[in-house]
């Protein structure tokens, strides 16, 4: 290698080190997402077989309906212990409208509920958590 080429390589290496040193460590986060979720306790309301929830006019699918592009953001998953998990994509809404349905898809309960989120302090973020929503009759 010629001396000119070696000098050019040395200058590039020194400048690269100086830029990295003055800007701090760079953190490269992977291009992934997560789903924020909260548990819903419905035991105080008898006969619940389906749950729908809405945030700012966007709702999870109603019982007996197929998901659409606007309902795909939110999902409701029944759990073996009788609770439900409300999935919010990556959003963390302050409140949610809850609708409970019986076996005939009749609305038996409707309420507005607040959610207080604890946000991840990881460098690349991560799912937020919240205390369960407990409905009262």
């Amino acid at each position: 290698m010629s001396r000119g080429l070696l000098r050019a390589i040395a200058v590039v290496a020194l400048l690269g080190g100086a830029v990295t040193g003055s800007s701090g460590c760079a953190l490269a986060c992977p291009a992934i997402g997560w789903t924020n979720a909260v548990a819903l306790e419905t035991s105080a309301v008898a006969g619940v077989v389906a749950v729908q929830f809405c945030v700012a006019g966007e709702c999870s699918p109603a019982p007996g309906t197929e998901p659409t592009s606007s309902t795909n953001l939110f999902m409701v998953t029944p759990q073996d212990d009788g609770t439900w998990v409300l999935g919010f994509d990556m959003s963390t809404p302050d409140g949610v409208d809850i609708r409970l349905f019986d076996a005939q898809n009749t609305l038996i309960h409707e309420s507005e509920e607040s959610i207080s989120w604890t946000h991840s302090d990881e460098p690349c973020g991560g799912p937020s958590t919240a205390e369960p929503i407990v409905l009262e009759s």
Side-chain angles (χ1 to χ4, degrees), residues 53-56 88 92-97 112-117:
F53 71 95
C54 303
V55 175
F88 294 93
T92 53
D94 293 330
V96 62
D97 295 322
E112 287 183 36
E113 303 295 331
S114 297
I115 304 172
S116 180
W117 296 96

Side-chain angles (χ1 to χ4, degrees), residues 78-103:
Q79 303 299 295
D80 291 338
D81 64 0
T83 62
W84 304 79
V85 173
L86 312 180
F88 294 93
D89 66 39
M90 291 179 66
S91 65
T92 53
D94 293 330
V96 62
D97 295 322
I98 304 287
R99 297 180 185 138
L100 306 180
F101 298 87
D102 66 11

Side-chain angles (χ1 to χ4, degrees), residues 27 29 34 119-127:
L27 176 64
C29 294
W34 54 82
H119 301 288
S120 171
D121 59 0
E122 295 296 318
C124 292

Side-chain angles (χ1 to χ4, degrees), residues 53-74:
F53 71 95
C54 303
V55 175
E58 297 289 328
C59 300
S60 63
T65 63
E66 292 295 317
T68 66
S69 60
S70 66
T71 63
N72 284 341
L73 296 176
F74 305 127

